[in-house]
Amino acid sequence: GYWGLNTASGNSIYGRTAEVADCSKLDLDTVLAQLCPKEPLGQRRGTNYYAHLDGTPGWPGYVPPGETIYDLDRQFAKKVIENQPLDVLKAIVTDFGKGFLPTHLVLPGDPPNWLWQFQPYFPVYTEDPNDTKTNPYTQENSVVEQFGGKGLSLNAGLAGFLSDYKQHGYTPGTLLGIFAVIGLVAGFWARKSGLAGATLFTTAIGLSVLGLAAIFEFSWRYQLPGLVIFPLAAALGVTAIVRHRQAEVSAGPAD
């Protein structure tokens, strides 16, 4: 009776809608009103922040018997989508467009890149992120040894190279956007090539995957499918255009 990747999926759509929700225009009961962000519009903290409020003790406050936080998340999101569809759509389109920026900027409200990048040390989560007295390497090493490991070792040179490489070694999003445009143009135009369908299908897959990700939030880690699919779409597109031109030349001028 329930379809979804997991039962907590309501928090993602809540994060998307909380970012743009104008609670003064929503007919919310006292329970759903708890989910209204405290920050005013224009000063919201981003989709990723609100999507993970479910881990905050005492939030949102009162949850009616028989319901969960995620049920409230979905109810709140439904209210926002019904009353502010264009605001939600604008936020989705904006996040979709971020993937085609020339550099991997982290804009306000987006999850930080360093969470997904190589580091020259062993990162460890602590309850106090400002605790500078604890050596992360020592703490992580002791945890590994505690659970039967032999300790950790670090190749400082290689770790430094990988952590530095990420600053400059990536494909610009604008280039992937150009590849996608080539795929679309060829898919609709190069009909005599025999590859138009395959080109358009491949391009559509890439756009669909990134578009679905943008419904919930933007993160550079969600852009990886485009890195694989759009170059393939462009290669098919260029081949399709060449074959289409060759077919036109072979057919000659019409009588």
Side-chain angles (χ1 to χ4, degrees), residues 117-130:
Q117 294 173 333
F118 288 110
Q119 303 294 340
Y121 57 85
F122 294 107
V124 61
Y125 176 80
T126 61
E127 293 185 359
D128 182 5
N130 297 317

Side-chain angles (χ1 to χ4, degrees), residues 80-97:
V80 178
I81 293 171
E82 288 176 346
N83 289 274
Q84 299 177 246
L86 294 181
D87 292 333
V88 176
L89 180 61
K90 179 182 177 181
I92 293 172
V93 172
T94 298
D95 275 2
F96 177 77

Side-chain angles (χ1 to χ4, degrees), residues 6-146:
N6 62 67
T7 57
S9 58
N11 66 326
S12 295
I13 195 64
Y14 168 73
R16 164 58 69 201
T17 54
E19 184 182 23
V20 299
D22 186 350
C23 293
S24 65
K25 298 180 180 179
L26 305 178
D27 182 19
L28 302 175
D29 57 30
T30 54
V31 175
L32 291 183
Q34 301 175 106
L35 277 66
C36 287
K38 298 178 181 179
E39 300 80 11
L41 280 171
Q43 299 179 27
R44 297 283 165 85
R45 301 182 63 174
T47 302
N48 189 65
Y49 172 81
Y50 296 111
H52 294 94
L53 280 178
D54 56 304
T56 303
W59 187 89
Y62 174 71
V63 179
E67 295 192 275
T68 67
I69 293 176
Y70 308 116
D71 293 328
L72 301 184
D73 284 343
R74 284 187 284 270
Q75 294 171 29
F76 180 90
K78 183 179 179 181
K79 287 280 189 179
V80 178
I81 293 171
E82 288 176 346
N83 289 274
Q84 299 177 246
L86 294 181
D87 292 333
V88 176
L89 180 61
K90 179 182 177 181
I92 293 172
V93 172
T94 298
D95 275 2
F96 177 77
K98 290 178 183 178
F100 301 105
L101 291 173
T103 59
H104 285 189
L105 296 174
V106 178
L107 300 176
D110 294 341
N113 282 348
W114 61 262
L115 287 171
W116 322 108
Q117 294 173 333
F118 288 110
Q119 303 294 340
Y121 57 85
F122 294 107
V124 61
Y125 176 80
T126 61
E127 293 185 359
D128 182 5
N130 297 317
D131 181 10
T132 58
K133 297 180 181 179
T134 304
N135 185 321
Y137 177 84
T138 303
Q139 185 175 6
E140 185 80 359
N141 211 38
S142 64
V143 172
V144 173
E145 292 176 350
Q146 177 185 350

